[in-house]
Amino acid sequence: AFKKADPTPHAEQAEPTFRTNFFNTVRLCNNLLPMLTCVEGDKARIVNVASFAGSLKILKDTKRRDQLSSIIANGDEGALIDFASEFVADTKAGNEPSKGWPSSNYGFSKLCLIAYTKILAAREKNVVVNAVCPGWCSTDMSSHSGPRSAEKGAETPIFLASSKEVTTSGGFYQDLAL
């Protein structure tokens, strides 16, 4: 996430933000999937670190919202990657408002990650796949302005990665709950 005081123009923030938060996460998950195996009858797990900044409400344009909903319903990972790529290109060109895109590179990258989590969860029956928001933590990313500790933020990701209680996929968690 670029800080508000960062001098990098908004149009130049889209590509590195999406590369880190979405495209490379998708690539890593897909590359690791063939290696994930069950251990002692427990399914393998993927926990994607998302954010409530990526809630669907940031996508105010109903056509874009419907487009994303259709991509998720169809489980079309390629269309999701194209959707995210279109956002990056439109943002680089300064056209995101007129094309119905949200103004937050970070939030939209996390919304795309949540969408990917849902697609992956529906597709991969032998893997428990969920997303998590650690919350606004006091870390370098927040310039230590977050109200919760990094340890508190790590509780739910660790819980999702290790708890035998969590057996369903496609959820979005915070504070140990859906």
Side-chain angles (χ1 to χ4, degrees):
F2 283 82
K3 297 180 194 257
K4 288 184 182 194
D6 191 296
T8 307
H10 176 75
E12 294 176 23
Q13 293 179 13
E15 193 280 326
T17 300
F18 267 77
R19 183 180 57 237
T20 301
N21 293 340
F22 177 69
F23 296 120
N24 284 346
T25 301
V26 169
R27 186 175 296 119
L28 178 65
C29 287
N30 288 337
N31 285 335
L32 291 177
L33 273 169
M35 294 179 256
L36 296 177
T37 58
C38 296
V39 178
E40 298 175 17
D42 193 20
K43 291 181 178 181
R45 295 166 184 272
I46 295 173
V47 180
N48 287 321
V49 179
S51 171
F52 277 113
S55 74
L56 192 56
K57 70 182 177 186
I58 70 167
L59 196 53
K60 298 188 184 330
D61 183 274
T62 56
K63 288 180 185 174
R64 290 292 185 189
R65 189 181 283 214
D66 291 346
Q67 185 181 8
L68 181 59
S69 295
S70 176
I71 289 168
I72 294 168
N74 292 325
D76 193 339
E77 181 181 320
L80 179 61
I81 290 168
D82 291 345
F83 187 69
S85 297
E86 184 181 354
F87 169 84
V88 170
D90 286 342
T91 301
K92 279 183 172 181
N95 296 329
E96 79 275 7
S98 66
K99 300 278 185 144
W101 298 114
S103 60
S104 170
N105 291 315
Y106 178 79
F108 195 58
S109 72
K110 294 301 188 172
L111 177 57
C112 288
L113 181 60
I114 294 165
Y116 171 71
T117 300
K118 290 179 180 300
I119 289 169
L120 190 61
R123 185 179 78 209
E124 298 297 327
K125 302 302 179 198
N126 291 319
V127 181
V128 176
V129 184
N130 289 295
V132 62
C133 177
W136 187 21
C137 297
S138 178
T139 62
D140 289 347
M141 183 176 154
S142 71
S143 299
H144 296 278
S145 62
R148 46 171 66 206
S149 67
E151 293 80 9
K152 178 68 176 167
E155 280 179 356
T156 304
I158 292 168
F159 171 73
L160 291 173
S162 61
S163 174
K164 293 187 188 259
E165 297 169 36
V166 179
T167 58
T168 58
S169 285
F172 184 52
Y173 288 78
Q174 184 175 36
D175 295 330
L176 306 176
L178 271 170

